[in-house]
Amino acid sequence: MEFSPLTAVSPIDGRYHNKTKVFSEYFSEYALFRYRTRVEIEYFVALCQLPLPGLEKIDASYFETLRKIYHNFSPADAQAIKEIEKTTNHDVKAVEYFIKDIFCDTIDINGVSKKDREHSKFLSYSGNQNNPPDFVIKEGDAVEVKKIENKIKGDIALNSSYPKSKLHNDDPRILPSCRDCDGGNWENKDIIYSIGSVYKGKIKVLWFVYGDCYAADREVYTRIHDKISGKIYEAEDIDFSETEELAGVKKVDPLGITYLRVRGMWGIKTPHSVFGNLVDYSEDNNFSAYALILEDKYRSFKEEDIGAIEAVAGENLKIADVEIKSPNNTAEYLKAKLISITK
């Protein structure tokens, strides 16, 4: 059946379409893709401007070209995302692929596997929503991305993955493909928690916090996990199953067809809740970004990279020496660098 005012499911798109069509620019699926594309591009620009290690060589002259993507976003572009979505079965992931296609000049390449091969020139690992991290920079650090809506303070849900000071190769929660990235010859990687606070589809505040500034050593969390799990498994007359979660029970009912998963749902305070006292934050700023890194890690970067960052320090980009409490011992203070960008 062809679409017409008579076949529309809602009168908004039917008899009243002439009066309501202006809202398509803001409430349609096309508009959803356009604004998600805008968020992805501005997020990438913010990472480059920080700069995130590995992105410091991106030429800033490309930023306006990238912004033209969402300024000139058309229904045909939205349809291209829909075509990708048929393969990925995930609209947010489809937007990510669309941005990668524009940046990597792979828009004409068909098939997710072929696209991923081209994208792999930039990353050694790209994960999924169920297993940390979200991605690993080639020969560099791991990154875990979280988004929160309309707030800078509060809690972040980490689900079944406890906070990490480092990404350990022997962590059973990471996938083999992550474990084998960069040749697999690594015991641990530094991990960055990237937390974006989004207001009305726009990133308002962006934090980059290294895990060893933010989380305790993994033994702190695994001890609690193992202690609770051990107590559960002491229960008698229960058919337990092997699992990396707190516990698993199989054959709950007489037919043996029901099972139970006992999951630990971890959470952590936002970086602004923990380190907000270190920054001069104003709600009047259009955008604020903060990066917190231990002094030793900061000094491990190439001298020319450090020099490039410090050379542009000024009113909108500030680098400060700060001291933070050790996540493992609150009586100990750690020397760190705080980089602030405000606009």
Side-chain angles (χ1 to χ4, degrees):
M1 182 181 296
E2 294 185 0
F3 176 82
S4 74
L6 294 176
T7 60
V9 174
S10 166
I12 293 177
D13 290 316
R15 67 173 64 188
Y16 303 122
H17 180 67
N18 287 337
K19 295 182 176 63
T20 61
K21 62 183 178 181
V22 65
F23 295 117
S24 296
E25 288 289 323
Y26 306 98
F27 298 105
S28 63
E29 189 171 17
Y30 155 76
L32 173 67
F33 287 145
R34 184 179 64 182
Y35 281 102
R36 277 181 170 165
T37 300
R38 178 175 180 171
V39 170
E40 292 282 349
I41 290 173
E42 292 300 335
Y43 182 58
F44 175 76
V45 170
L47 291 177
C48 294
Q49 291 177 333
L50 190 60
L52 185 72
L55 298 178
E56 63 272 5
K57 294 183 180 180
I58 299 297
D59 191 339
S61 64
Y62 292 137
F63 296 161
E64 288 307 311
T65 301
L66 287 172
R67 289 186 171 110
K68 288 180 181 179
I69 296 172
Y70 65 78
H71 285 313
N72 301 323
F73 196 85
S74 68
D77 294 326
Q79 186 60 43
I81 294 177
K82 288 291 291 182
E83 293 301 315
I84 299 171
E85 186 184 14
K86 290 178 181 178
T87 304
T88 62
N89 198 31
H90 194 299
D91 55 351
V92 176
K93 198 68 176 177
V95 174
E96 291 179 8
Y97 268 103
F98 179 65
I99 299 300
K100 289 178 181 178
D101 282 342
I102 296 296
F103 186 77
C104 302
D105 195 24
T106 55
I107 194 69
D108 294 326
I109 295 178
N110 295 319
V112 170
S113 61
K114 292 182 180 179
K115 291 178 184 291
D116 286 342
R117 185 177 296 276
E118 291 297 309
H119 299 160
S120 67
K121 295 177 181 178
F122 301 90
L123 306 175
S124 62
Y125 171 75
S126 183
N128 60 52
Q129 61 183 349
N130 298 318
N131 300 89
D134 286 300
F135 61 89
V136 176
I137 301 168
K138 273 192 174 180
E139 303 297 335
D141 301 332
V143 180
E144 182 75 1
V145 180
K146 296 292 181 183
K147 183 186 78 170
I148 53 178
E149 297 278 357
N150 303 319
K151 63 180 182 180
I152 57 176
K153 292 186 176 182
D155 301 324
I156 303 169
L158 301 178
N159 300 324
S160 59
S161 179
Y162 56 77
K164 292 173 172 55
S165 60
K166 304 279 186 181
L167 180 70
H168 293 273
N169 192 284
D170 61 355
D171 187 339
R173 293 166 181 80
I174 69 173
L175 296 175
S177 53
C178 178
R179 192 172 292 111
D180 294 337
C181 76
D182 290 333
N185 298 317
W186 53 275
E187 293 184 6
N188 59 69
K189 286 181 175 289
D190 290 325
I191 186 168
I192 304 168
Y193 282 92
S194 176
I195 315 297
S197 298
V198 178
Y199 291 77
K200 297 180 179 179
K202 179 182 178 181
I203 297 177
K204 179 78 171 177
V205 181
L206 190 60
W207 273 91
F208 299 94
V209 182
Y210 270 87
D212 50 10
C213 298
Y214 196 30
D217 292 340
R218 63 173 171 174
E219 290 77 15
V220 172
Y221 308 105
T222 57
R223 181 181 65 85
I224 295 296
H225 177 281
D226 294 346
K227 192 171 184 177
I228 295 174
S229 180
K231 287 294 183 181
I232 295 174
Y233 278 96
E234 289 179 3
E236 298 179 353
D237 301 324
I238 295 178
D239 191 359
F240 289 106
S241 59
E242 293 186 7
T243 177
E244 295 295 339
E245 298 176 346
L246 284 175
V249 181
K250 56 186 178 180
K251 299 179 181 179
V252 174
D253 60 319
L255 290 176
I257 59 175
T258 306
Y259 62 90
L260 172 66
R261 296 171 58 187
V262 184
R263 301 182 64 188
M265 302 299 288
W266 298 89
I268 193 171
K269 295 294 183 183
T270 66
H272 210 91
S273 299
V274 182
F275 306 111
N277 63 304
L278 300 176
V279 304
D280 185 18
Y281 171 73
S282 172
E283 292 185 354
D284 295 332
N285 293 332
N286 291 321
F287 173 75
S288 301
Y290 307 103
L292 188 62
I293 177 174
L294 291 182
E295 175 78 20
D296 289 344
K297 176 68 175 181
Y298 181 81
R299 292 300 172 193
S300 72
F301 295 141
K302 295 179 180 179
E303 290 186 6
E304 55 265 35
D305 293 337
I306 296 176
I309 295 174
E310 296 181 349
V312 296
E315 182 179 355
N316 294 327
L317 190 154
K318 298 178 181 179
I319 305 173
D321 294 312
V322 297
E323 290 189 342
I324 59 174
K325 287 184 177 180
S326 167
N328 294 298
N329 180 4
T330 57
E332 179 184 1
Y333 280 78
L334 307 176
K335 293 183 178 180
K337 290 284 188 180
L338 176 66
I339 303 173
S340 304
I341 298 175
T342 56
K343 289 186 176 182

